[in-house]
Amino acid sequence: MLTVADVLRRHGPAYLDRHATTMPVEQKRVLRCIMACRTGELGTVHYACRQCGQAHVMGRSCGNRHCPSCQSEKGGVWCERQLARLLPCHYFLLTFTVPQAFREFARRHPREAYAAMFRASSDALKSLAADPKRLDVKTLGFFGALHTWGRDLNYHPHLHYVVPGGGLDAEGQWRQTPTSFFLPCQPLSLLYRGKLRAALAAEGLLDEVDDSVWSESWVVDCQAVGDGAAAVKYLAPYVFRVALSDKRIVACDEQSVTFRYRRSGSQRWRTMRLDADEFVRRFLQHVLPRGLQKVRHYGFLSPRAGQSIESLKWLVAAALGLLFWLAWTETIVAPPTPDFACSECGGPLMRIRFEPPPPPRPIPTSQPP
């Protein structure tokens, strides 16, 4: 099966030759990491099967968070952990987008733009939820993830938040929302736009954004998603990979790359054929600034919150009359699957030793006569 790494190994060197002088340093680093992943260029790892003893030698993984091969298993583990943390209440999925004209600024200043999007959207949520005419809660809890791509790999930065349908009031008691309504989207979008503008002004970057952005309507969408499990499963594949998975690659030749995609609102798979240079460009434009946290937790779901998730579950269950149900409910988290399995018997592999790559050969220098 073709992989994204196969495509980048085939077309990445030529792309670097043509664009190295204009590419961001982080894009060059990611491209080189993925091209070297599991090839032996980063060293080799020796394994032995715990069941049959068969020896296996594999190229070392690059471990880069943008590499689809390295991140394929992590999404499932993250999903299981988030499912275990869901409160016994209904949930909503909120999506915060930015206008087309803002995307050019975000492309030039990704670190500042993404940080401002997170800050503005989370503050808007908390502010509107605290309004006595709205939800009237003191503390809201939610988590979200940054996405920068559309289904055809084009640049489309937006945020998804999974939000429990309620919050904690001033007395620390659970206050529930209706199952089909959380907060009105129009006031939320106005707050989001205003707070994002203020955040950029504080950074001294407001003049670099097209003025037309602030007169456009900003889209915030809110959907009821039941117990939240479906929303978590929707987000999981996108949290630990970038742009597309290996299984979507259909073909790759000397000139082009073909991949599968689905249009928004449709379940029918289509194919898109791109010039190889354009495919590499579209993939690399989603490389995140180094160290940027793309998944964030807020309020009582933050790791820094003083209340444990178990005590929150009991608090919500007591408020909704679900104590009997919660007492007999046991969350089962599937054990993580091994990264590699034996090709002979399917058993787990045991790492034996790591063999580093050979040192680079010195460049010969001419000797004076």
Side-chain angles (χ1 to χ4, degrees):
M1 180 185 74
L2 277 173
T3 66
V4 173
D6 291 332
V7 174
L8 296 183
R9 278 192 283 269
R10 186 167 190 173
H11 296 291
Y15 187 90
L16 279 171
D17 288 343
R18 286 190 289 268
H19 306 289
T21 58
T22 57
M23 289 173 64
V25 173
E26 188 64 15
Q27 288 189 11
K28 289 190 279 190
R29 189 181 72 85
V30 169
L31 181 55
R32 291 188 176 112
C33 281
I34 299 177
M35 288 193 299
C37 185
R38 302 184 186 181
T39 63
E41 186 178 333
L42 303 175
T44 54
V45 185
H46 295 253
Y47 294 92
C49 178
R50 291 182 180 272
Q51 291 183 181
C52 69
Q54 178 68 37
H56 297 266
V57 180
M58 301 180 187
R60 182 188 179 193
S61 301
C62 68
N64 191 279
R65 65 170 171 170
H66 301 90
C67 177
S69 298
C70 290
Q71 303 299 313
S72 59
E73 299 295 334
K74 294 184 179 180
V77 175
W78 180 87
C79 181
E80 293 293 341
R81 289 176 180 169
Q82 298 307 315
L83 290 175
R85 290 171 54 85
L86 289 177
L87 303 178
C89 64
H90 59 274
Y91 276 76
F92 296 90
L93 178 66
L94 280 82
T95 304
F96 290 79
T97 65
V98 294
Q100 177 69 42
F102 184 83
R103 298 176 193 174
E104 290 308 312
F105 167 80
R107 195 190 297 274
R108 295 194 305 271
H109 302 280
R111 186 180 298 277
E112 294 80 4
Y114 300 155
M117 287 171 63
F118 269 118
R119 190 181 313 122
S121 56
S122 60
D123 286 351
L125 268 174
K126 290 183 282 190
S127 297
L128 198 59
D131 188 339
K133 297 180 181 179
R134 307 297 182 185
L135 188 52
D136 192 20
V137 296
K138 182 180 179 181
T139 308
L140 203 62
F142 52 96
F143 64 91
L146 167 70
H147 291 179
T148 63
W149 59 90
R151 297 168 187 257
D152 57 358
L153 303 190
N154 272 318
Y155 188 61
H156 175 43
H158 56 286
L159 300 171
H160 290 300
Y161 287 114
V162 178
V163 190
L168 303 177
D169 62 19
E171 287 74 40
Q173 299 302 308
W174 182 255
R175 180 168 295 194
Q176 187 86 339
T177 71
T179 57
S180 59
F181 180 78
F182 182 62
L183 290 171
C185 291
Q186 182 62 21
L188 194 56
S189 66
L190 293 175
L191 268 176
Y192 171 48
R193 182 181 66 183
K195 288 180 179 294
L196 184 52
R197 183 175 186 176
L200 295 180
E203 294 288 335
L205 294 171
L206 189 59
D207 291 342
E208 297 197 34
V209 182
D210 192 322
D211 287 340
S212 65
V213 165
W214 312 116
S215 60
E216 292 187 40
S217 296
W218 289 43
V219 177
V220 175
D221 180 67
C222 180
Q223 298 180 29
V225 289
D227 63 4
V232 170
K233 292 175 182 177
Y234 168 75
L235 283 183
Y238 302 97
V239 168
F240 289 99
R241 66 170 170 83
V242 170
L244 81 168
S245 60
D246 290 336
K247 64 183 180 182
R248 287 177 55 194
I249 301 294
V250 176
C252 174
D253 56 33
E254 292 300 325
Q255 289 79 36
S256 64
V257 181
T258 304
F259 63 94
R260 300 191 304 154
Y261 75 104
R262 286 190 294 206
R263 291 179 182 170
S264 181
S266 171
Q267 294 300 311
R268 184 167 72 86
W269 285 102
R270 294 172 168 83
T271 59
M272 177 174 289
R273 184 173 179 267
L274 293 177
D275 175 81
D277 203 70
E278 173 64 9
F279 176 87
V280 177
R281 185 196 71 81
R282 288 197 190 189
F283 180 85
L284 291 178
Q285 70 182 340
H286 304 296
V287 169
L288 298 176
R290 194 168 191 174
L292 182 81
Q293 188 177 357
K294 66 180 294 188
V295 181
R296 305 190 184 190
H297 294 71
Y298 298 88
F300 55 70
L301 294 182
S302 168
R304 295 186 297 273
Q307 197 167 12
S308 71
I309 195 67
E310 293 304 320
S311 64
L312 278 169
K313 288 182 179 181
W314 282 99
L315 180 65
V316 175
L320 302 181
L322 298 174
L323 283 178
F324 178 83
W325 172 85
L326 188 61
W328 288 92
T329 299
E330 183 178 341
T331 301
I332 301 175
V333 179
T337 56
D339 291 339
F340 302 106
C342 177
S343 57
E344 299 294 326
C345 69
L349 299 184
M350 174 177 59
R351 178 170 167 162
I352 303 299
R353 64 186 176 89
F354 169 67
E355 183 178 332
R361 299 178 66 180
I363 300 175
T365 56
S366 58
Q367 298 294 329

